[in-house]
Amino acid sequence: MDSVKERSVDEVVSTILGKYNQRHHLMRILQEVQSNYGYLPREALEKISQSTGIPLSDIINVATFYHQYRLEIPGYYIFLVCMGTACHLKGNQDNYNVLRNTLGIKKGNTSSDGLVSVEKARCFGCCSLAPVMMVVSRDGCERYLHGNVDIKETKKLALTYRSMASKKVRSGE
Amino acid sequence: MVKLYINNKEVQVEAASTLLDAIVRAGFKVPTLCYLKDMFNEATCRVCIVELSGGRLVPSCSYPASEGLRVLTDSERVLKYRRAIVEMILASHKIKCQSCSMKGGYCQLLKLSKEFGVEGIPVCAECPLYGSECLLNLGIACLGPVTIAGCDAICTKERSPCIGCRGPASPDDVLEEGIKTFIKYKINIDEVVGISELFWGSNPLTQTIRKLFTNLHEGGRV
Amino acid sequence: MAEWTLMDRCCDKCWHTVEYPCKHFIRCTVEGPLCHESAECRVKRKRRIEELKYGKYGIKIKVPISSCTLAAGAKEVYDAVSKEVLSSGLNADITISGCMGLCYLDPWIELSKKGLPTAIYVNVKPGDVPKILKEYLSGDLSNAFALRADPEGIYKNYKVPLLNDLTLWSNQVRFVSRGCGVLNPESIEDYIISNGFRGLDKILNMHPKNVIEFVKKSGLRGRGGAGFPTWMKWEIAQSQVSDIKYFIVNADEGDPGAFMNRLLAESDPYRVIEGMIIGAYAVGASKGYIFVRAEKPLMADRLSKAVEEIRKYGLLGRNILGSGFSFDIEVILSAGAFVCGEETALISAIEGRTRPRQRPPYPATRGLWDKPTVINNVETVAHVATVFQVGVEEFTKYGTEKSKGTKMFCVTGCVSRTGAYEVPIGMSLSKLVYDLAGGPPDGKKVKAVQIGGPSGGCVPSNLLNTPVDYESLQSAGAIMGSGGVVVIDEDSCMVDVAKFFTSFTLAESCGKCFTCRVGMKLLYDILKNITEGKGSEEDLELLNELSDVIIGSSLCALGGTAPNPIKSTLRYFRDEYVAHIKDRKCPAKVCPNLVEYWIDPAKCVGCGLCVKACPTNFITGERGKPHSIDPSKCIRCSQCFITCPQGAVIKR
């Protein structure tokens, strides 16, 4: 993450555009931008539009249509709570509420300290371990899957990841 | 050239034509909304659906005409579904006919909803079709903005104010839009409610109008 | 120097290179050398195959690494195994494998040693690893779950069943999933010694028309949902005249409850790609795309790795094995939208746009960048590869008159043995749910079985003898879909289930055509009213009529199938809807507005936790004495129900 912060949006975007610059690479370009920042900064979208000639409205159309893209900066860790059928039947909605309550998220998806986000996600295909949640770090380097989580486990996970995130942020990562 | 049958009438069109071309060629009519001739056919509005002989419903504006196809443009099923689609479009349409720029008979949606007898739009949508000057503009308390259309604006056409004989327009946002119109033209709301009681009687909607009016007025959203 | 592998030249007499390939390359790797006789080379290959099968030192430990096993902690188990092997100085090969589909057993490990039957240990915890290893190596298999292979028939000495003797295994036909959980998904050699690439080897000498004819003979139908005959799609694309054609594999598995594509591609990616090359050869495509969902990163990784590996050995790229046929594959990460499962939306996504378009023209005539394009599902192409490897007869042996072969089903929800099972098409649902998946745990009753994801329907328990094939399921109001089977027990409310699916499709509707965008919202609002106790009886008629309109006149298959869950629940569970509307009661006690929370005084210990949890502060009671909820003030947030450590809060 450090290296990213030092590099300007311009630099990051031009490196990516050096690899892909066609209209049909748009999805890939946005994915790469997001893997750098954890979300799609407005400046980056504008820069892509200027460099490739794809209208900004088209870029935003794609960025808002697909679920993977975020337009707002998420927390250091992101809880992705699966909302598939099996997970729904086994009570992941309750887990989702518990996560939000435990982390004190009232509005939006991110806790007020900016450490942890909670999002609803599409089926991961781990239905046999329902209910499932995935925790990913903003930079995409860390990825943990948790299966068969109940409410107690959820609470524990929420607190664990919050303290992990605060440690990481404090140590300057 | 391909040969196909529209409502059992034989018609020949060029190979790259759509069903809609063939239908027009055969002398039938199918309503369209999103269709723009010679432009891309997105087929999003679905009102131009027709029935193929297998029972499949397809949008005629983009379905290619092919040899021997049998097409029905107004079977019972087509009409039923088309009506439902128009209802859906109206359900998601912000009805602001009073301030809409499509006045004067250009509104295809209005025509369609009249054709299918779908209710929900106010008299104000029909009134401009006959070129009459808006009575509200003259400060006359006309119930046009809040009354269901379908009367062909028979009163306002004759320069007499609407008295709400067909009942209040149903969706709340239509009512709200209507009341905004009253406020805009500085019509006395007591007068409006007074007239409406003639046909709507003790209908709680008359109270709603008063409430909405006070809210809108005080909320300063005029 | 890197280790010599089967893919390398045996000696200088072999002239095969990627630029000037030998057309017997594939067979030569295993049966070789074919072009010259050399005992040394033959032994070299034989020894390598032995090594791959049993490990260099005769002991092999397999740890499955796939999304589902990782979620159950397979990474920790793998680390524990490595640590144990290192610290005990054991000479053993540790390899990864894919998932065998029995997810309820995750994580499992498989141990094999020459002279001992291969044993599978299940639900392994990292701490158990040293004990398991010690036991197995000393010949004590009593704690194993099952034995996989036992060539010498000595398993009878142990009280452990053979995998093939278990009902959950013997009722399956592992046709397309034969490599899942067996092969190392990151080793091309593993695939090639288990009959891999033999299909490709075969077809490169055939005329494309004969390839299609072969598929026609097998009667293979698309495994992605609608069951369109695969050969027909190929033939249409093959007959088109175009400078370039595309072959796309749809691995954007979005159906909640279905994961067979993920499982296949993660556990046996080479099979998928082989099938894809065969398909491309048949239709004359020169460029292929695999469209993988970004939420399934391991699947994308494995596929990309496999593509690279295959390209490295010249089985992909220009002039494959000297046949004159060129084909290359690019793996594309989908950013995730359910509608991309629809062919035309998938094409839009690859082009960098959004939303489906009206068909016809069908993609087989005008698809990606207006060129003929074939789109097949992962399972379909994996089937193609297997059919060419083992022959048509092996495939047509199974299945029904109209649909041949086998199909993978993912059985999840309220069953004790969740997992992916491959069964002959036409097996009855009850067999799938009870004999294979073990039925609901703790003796509950099955209320319904939901098949086909959000486009499918619910089959009630009294119709469980319905055979699973395309036609029978359709007449029961469901669809085969991609094969997700979610078992619903008595604890679930069918109106809530319908609402869940409607909210799913509502959120996933792309918003292009009116009927789906507005219609689904209207349906959702009606269902929401019903579950909140505000429904009226006319609503049921309206639901039905509106559903018909949406099905009949939507632009793409998403809208055309989205109301299916509502229609099927209305058809079979009308009484539940009526209970919500007339009695204002939710029989399964799921819908929050129709249940009452009540504290059982006999169970309540008065700990006061619920008082703290209650956001409205309407739970009262003295500490240490039974508490009570004021029902008129309760907002039914269920916090007290969740919090209570005694289970004293009861829904009624």
Side-chain angles (χ1 to χ4, degrees):
Chain A
M1 288 294 283
D2 280 344
S3 57
V4 172
K5 268 178 205 157
E6 283 156 24
R7 285 158 66 197
S8 66
V9 170
D10 270 14
E11 258 177 85
V12 171
V13 171
S14 28
T15 326
I16 296 167
L17 291 179
K19 285 188 276 182
Y20 318 97
N21 52 8
Q22 299 288 307
R23 176 75 172 86
H24 67 271
H25 288 143
L26 183 55
M27 211 143 94
R28 193 60 173 271
I29 296 169
L30 296 182
Q31 276 162 348
E32 298 244 332
V33 172
Q34 177 149 317
S35 69
N36 268 304
Y37 293 97
Y39 75 113
L40 301 174
R42 174 85 186 192
E43 306 159 62
L45 300 184
E46 282 166 9
K47 171 80 186 150
I48 295 169
S49 170
Q50 280 163 17
S51 312
T52 58
I54 305 171
L56 187 60
S57 64
D58 267 22
I59 297 177
I60 290 178
N61 176 16
V62 171
T64 51
F65 186 78
Y66 295 102
H67 302 298
Q68 196 195 2
Y69 304 123
R70 284 183 209 99
L71 295 171
E72 277 163 16
I73 186 159
Y76 188 86
Y77 281 116
I78 304 152
F79 274 88
L80 298 170
V81 185
C82 176
M83 287 289 149
T85 323
C87 291
H88 173 79
L89 290 176
K90 296 224 172 163
N92 231 11
Q93 182 65 45
D94 286 344
N95 286 343
Y96 175 80
N97 294 342
V98 168
L99 266 184
R100 286 182 72 100
N101 280 345
T102 318
L103 294 167
I105 302 172
K106 298 248 157 59
K107 234 178 161 184
N109 290 331
T110 310
S111 60
S112 50
D113 49 12
L115 291 175
V116 186
S117 293
V118 179
E119 287 177 11
K120 289 185 179 183
R122 296 299 167 214
C123 186
F124 304 134
C126 299
C127 313
S128 37
L129 298 166
V132 192
M133 50 182 81
M134 200 196 274
V135 184
V136 293
S137 65
R138 182 162 56 198
D139 52 12
C141 297
E142 297 167 66
R143 190 181 287 276
Y144 311 95
L145 252 173
H146 297 277
N148 291 325
V149 278
D150 55 9
I151 285 161
K152 268 192 194 146
E153 176 86 8
T154 309
K155 275 188 191 162
K156 219 170 81 193
L157 287 176
L159 299 175
T160 318
Y161 281 102
R162 180 159 63 185
S163 64
M164 272 166 77
S166 74
K167 256 186 223 153
K168 295 246 160 130
V169 170
R170 242 184 288 142
S171 68
E173 270 190 51
Chain B
M1 296 295 268
V2 290
K3 191 164 74 181
L4 62 163
Y5 304 88
I6 310 289
N7 299 339
N8 292 325
K9 186 175 167 191
E10 190 184 307
V11 63
Q12 285 207 340
V13 287
E14 277 160 36
S17 310
T18 62
L19 284 188
L20 189 64
D21 296 334
I23 289 166
V24 173
R25 172 77 57 89
F28 293 102
K29 258 189 190 161
V30 160
T32 57
L33 284 178
C34 72
Y35 174 73
L36 255 181
K37 200 170 170 5
D38 298 331
M39 290 291 284
F40 44 80
N41 295 327
E42 289 284 277
T44 58
C45 75
R46 319 306 286 175
V47 298
C48 68
I49 51 164
V50 291
E51 190 172 344
L52 301 185
S53 49
R56 230 181 110 198
L57 296 174
V58 297
S60 58
C61 70
S62 72
Y63 199 89
S66 58
E67 187 66 34
L69 213 56
R70 291 187 169 271
V71 183
L72 293 174
T73 62
D74 51 4
S75 67
E76 200 183 323
R77 190 151 158 258
V78 166
L79 291 181
K80 188 179 151 200
Y81 279 35
R82 202 177 283 156
R83 188 193 143 99
I85 291 166
V86 172
E87 275 178 354
M88 273 188 224
I89 295 176
L90 274 178
S92 67
H93 184 74
K94 226 20 188 167
I95 298 171
K96 292 185 172 183
C97 301
Q98 301 90 343
S99 54
C100 177
S101 60
M102 287 295 257
K103 267 179 186 155
Y106 295 110
C107 180
Q108 295 295 316
L109 187 56
L110 171 66
K111 277 190 189 161
L112 265 181
S113 51
K114 274 176 81 160
E115 188 182 326
F116 287 102
V118 179
E119 293 181 341
I121 46 174
V123 172
C124 274
E126 288 184 334
C127 183
L129 290 179
Y130 310 101
S132 23
E133 195 195 348
C134 185
L135 295 169
L136 295 170
N137 217 1
L138 306 174
I140 300 169
C142 166
L143 253 56
V146 289
T147 305
I148 293 185
C151 54
D152 265 347
I154 187 165
C155 302
T156 53
K157 201 156 48 178
E158 303 298 333
R159 305 196 55 72
S160 139
C162 171
I163 49 172
C165 70
R166 288 178 58 82
S170 52
D172 277 353
D173 49 335
V174 179
L175 274 186
E176 196 176 313
E177 199 57 34
I179 290 159
K180 276 188 197 163
T181 319
F182 288 139
I183 296 169
K184 187 174 147 205
Y185 288 107
K186 299 194 176 63
I187 305 293
N188 185 352
I189 198 69
D190 290 329
E191 203 178 332
V192 173
V193 172
I195 300 170
S196 73
E197 272 166 1
L198 177 62
F199 280 100
W200 306 359
S202 55
N203 190 325
L205 270 168
T206 51
Q207 295 313 312
T208 314
I209 290 182
R210 194 187 289 279
K211 218 169 27 197
L212 274 171
F213 179 80
T214 347
N215 283 350
L216 283 173
H217 220 74
E218 284 165 5
R221 286 198 282 138
V222 186
Chain C
M1 207 184 89
E3 211 178 353
W4 184 84
T5 68
L6 288 177
M7 311 303 286
D8 297 330
R9 293 159 60 178
C10 54
C11 66
D12 288 340
K13 282 190 191 128
C14 172
W15 51 269
H16 169 86
T17 59
V18 172
E19 287 80 35
Y20 300 102
C22 167
K23 62 175 179 183
H24 302 301
F25 172 64
I26 293 171
R27 278 195 301 126
C28 189
T29 52
V30 180
E31 297 160 25
L34 296 175
C35 65
H36 61 280
E37 194 44 65
S38 155
E40 197 187 324
C41 297
R42 198 160 292 269
V43 169
K44 201 174 179 181
R45 291 203 181 273
K46 277 250 169 69
R47 201 186 307 134
R48 177 69 187 169
I49 293 171
E50 283 284 293
E51 256 180 48
L52 284 168
K53 276 189 181 153
Y54 307 107
K56 262 179 222 139
Y57 314 101
I59 301 174
K60 203 168 169 183
I61 306 167
K62 275 192 200 169
V63 185
I65 300 288
S66 66
S67 298
C68 44
T69 56
L70 282 176
K75 182 81 184 66
E76 288 76 20
V77 171
Y78 187 86
D79 292 344
V81 169
S82 321
K83 211 174 118 200
E84 177 61 21
V85 168
L86 205 67
S87 65
S88 64
L90 190 66
N91 279 332
D93 286 323
I94 311 168
T95 61
I96 61 165
S97 73
C99 167
M100 65 171 162
L102 306 176
C103 299
Y104 75 107
L105 300 174
D106 287 341
W108 50 275
I109 58 174
E110 188 179 307
L111 302 176
S112 64
K113 185 185 171 189
K114 268 206 171 153
L116 276 181
T118 308
I120 295 170
Y121 289 83
V122 299
N123 298 121
V124 179
K125 291 190 185 68
D128 302 344
V129 169
K131 192 170 147 262
I132 292 176
L133 282 179
K134 209 168 282 163
E135 264 181 27
Y136 177 79
L137 294 175
S138 66
D140 173 15
L141 307 190
S142 50
N143 285 327
F145 169 74
L147 306 178
R148 193 190 279 276
D150 181 30
E152 283 136 62
I154 49 173
Y155 74 95
K156 284 179 189 133
N157 303 341
Y158 311 103
K159 282 197 178 114
V160 180
L162 270 185
L163 195 55
N164 283 338
D165 293 346
L166 296 174
T167 46
L168 65 96
W169 200 263
S170 60
N171 279 318
Q172 290 194 60
V173 177
R174 306 282 287 190
F175 185 79
V176 67
S177 60
R178 53 182 59 203
C180 297
V182 179
L183 303 180
N184 176 351
E186 292 181 0
S187 155
I188 190 168
E189 286 178 286
D190 241 19
Y191 181 60
I192 214 159
I193 60 170
S194 57
N195 213 10
F197 293 115
R198 294 311 190 288
L200 179 63
D201 186 47
K202 213 180 278 174
I203 58 122
L204 288 176
N205 299 315
M206 287 163 80
H207 190 273
K209 282 213 167 124
N210 294 338
V211 176
I212 295 176
E213 198 53 40
F214 194 89
V215 177
K216 187 174 176 181
K217 226 188 287 165
S218 76
L220 176 65
R221 294 169 71 174
R223 294 293 191 251
F228 193 76
T230 306
W231 66 269
M232 215 188 261
K233 226 183 220 179
W234 288 12
E235 198 170 72
I236 298 168
Q238 201 265 339
S239 63
Q240 303 294 316
V241 182
S242 169
D243 52 342
I244 186 164
K245 292 177 194 171
Y246 297 100
F247 197 98
I248 300 175
V249 165
N250 178 2
D252 188 39
E253 195 172 39
D255 271 20
F259 53 87
M260 63 287 292
N261 291 343
R262 192 217 74 213
L263 195 149
L264 268 173
E266 273 179 8
S267 310
D268 202 356
Y270 294 97
R271 190 177 304 275
V272 176
I273 295 167
E274 184 185 352
M276 195 172 165
I277 304 174
I278 295 174
Y281 179 78
V283 301
S286 52
K287 178 86 195 168
Y289 293 97
I290 305 180
F291 194 68
V292 194
R293 172 154 275 228
E295 273 114 326
K296 300 181 177 174
L298 190 65
M299 175 173 174
D301 275 3
R302 290 257 163 92
L303 284 168
S304 321
K305 265 189 199 151
V307 167
E308 261 169 50
E309 194 86 335
I310 295 177
R311 195 184 290 134
K312 194 169 104 195
Y313 293 115
L315 300 179
L316 256 185
R318 281 172 62 87
N319 193 9
I320 296 171
L321 294 187
S323 62
F325 164 63
S326 301
F327 181 62
D328 209 349
I329 296 176
E330 193 180 321
V331 177
I332 291 190
L333 276 184
S334 153
F338 177 65
V339 73
C340 287
E342 214 277 338
E343 292 186 323
T344 54
L346 195 157
I347 288 173
S348 291
I350 293 182
E351 290 173 353
R353 297 183 288 112
T354 57
R355 300 198 174 89
R357 65 160 170 74
Q358 181 71 39
R359 294 183 304 175
Y362 289 94
T365 53
R366 262 177 65 190
L368 191 59
W369 293 299
D370 285 344
K371 303 290 182 191
T373 306
V374 170
I375 300 172
N376 276 148
N377 162 274
V378 168
E379 203 187 335
T380 316
V381 287
H383 264 295
V384 168
T386 321
V387 168
F388 276 96
Q389 282 171 15
V390 301
V392 172
E393 294 72 28
E394 195 61 27
F395 179 76
T396 48
K397 244 183 9 204
Y398 307 105
T400 61
E401 190 54 44
K402 279 188 176 160
S403 11
K404 296 282 179 216
T406 57
K407 166 92 187 82
M408 289 185 82
F409 289 95
C410 294
V411 189
T412 57
C414 306
V415 283
S416 50
R417 297 200 287 258
T418 53
Y421 299 94
E422 182 171 3
V423 299
I425 292 179
M427 180 186 259
S428 76
L429 260 178
S430 61
K431 206 168 172 189
L432 189 62
V433 171
Y434 287 102
D435 292 0
L436 287 165
D442 43 47
K444 281 183 186 153
K445 268 201 213 142
V446 172
K447 190 193 244 178
V449 173
Q450 208 281 343
I451 307 177
S455 331
C458 295
V459 177
S461 57
N462 58 355
L463 287 179
L464 279 188
N465 53 3
T466 313
V468 281
D469 62 58
Y470 298 96
E471 286 76 18
S472 312
L473 284 180
Q474 199 139 31
S475 62
I479 62 163
M480 183 104 108
S482 52
V485 175
V486 182
V487 179
I488 299 169
D489 69 8
E490 297 157 299
D491 288 350
S492 300
C493 164
M494 297 313 286
V495 186
D496 178 66
V497 169
K499 193 179 90 175
F500 165 73
F501 282 113
T502 314
S503 72
F504 179 87
T505 30
L506 171 63
E508 292 292 346
S509 167
C510 76
K512 182 167 175 172
C513 75
F514 254 108
T515 41
C516 175
R517 177 175 79 219
V518 182
M520 291 315 288
K521 174 81 176 115
L522 294 175
L523 285 180
Y524 178 75
D525 286 347
I526 297 173
L527 284 176
K528 195 160 166 261
N529 277 342
I530 294 178
T531 55
E532 283 172 0
K534 297 182 217 149
S536 66
E537 264 180 86
E538 297 93 70
D539 282 350
L540 297 185
E541 245 350 274
L542 192 60
L543 276 178
N544 222 346
E545 266 179 38
L546 204 55
S547 297
D548 281 338
V549 173
I550 296 170
I551 291 172
S553 53
S554 283
L555 186 144
C556 80
L558 191 147
T561 54
N564 280 350
I566 297 180
K567 282 202 67 149
S568 71
T569 45
L570 261 179
R571 178 163 152 198
Y572 297 119
F573 299 98
R574 206 183 178 88
D575 49 335
E576 275 194 40
Y577 280 88
V578 173
H580 279 76
I581 291 169
K582 271 197 174 159
D583 313 337
R584 304 273 186 249
K585 277 264 168 338
C586 174
K589 303 185 189 61
V590 172
C591 301
N593 288 37
L594 303 181
V595 293
E596 189 183 320
Y597 289 88
W598 174 72
I599 296 178
D600 187 349
K603 282 187 184 164
C604 181
V605 293
C607 64
L609 281 178
C610 52
V611 180
K612 276 186 206 151
C614 181
T616 51
N617 299 326
F618 285 115
I619 300 180
T620 48
E622 277 177 53
R623 203 169 173 79
K625 284 186 184 158
H627 288 41
S628 66
I629 302 172
D630 184 346
S632 61
K633 305 276 172 56
C634 176
I635 58 165
R636 298 174 178 92
C637 65
S638 87
Q639 287 300 324
C640 49
F641 181 75
I642 294 169
T643 317
C644 183
Q646 304 293 323
V649 180
I650 290 163
K651 292 181 187 178
R652 64 174 183 186

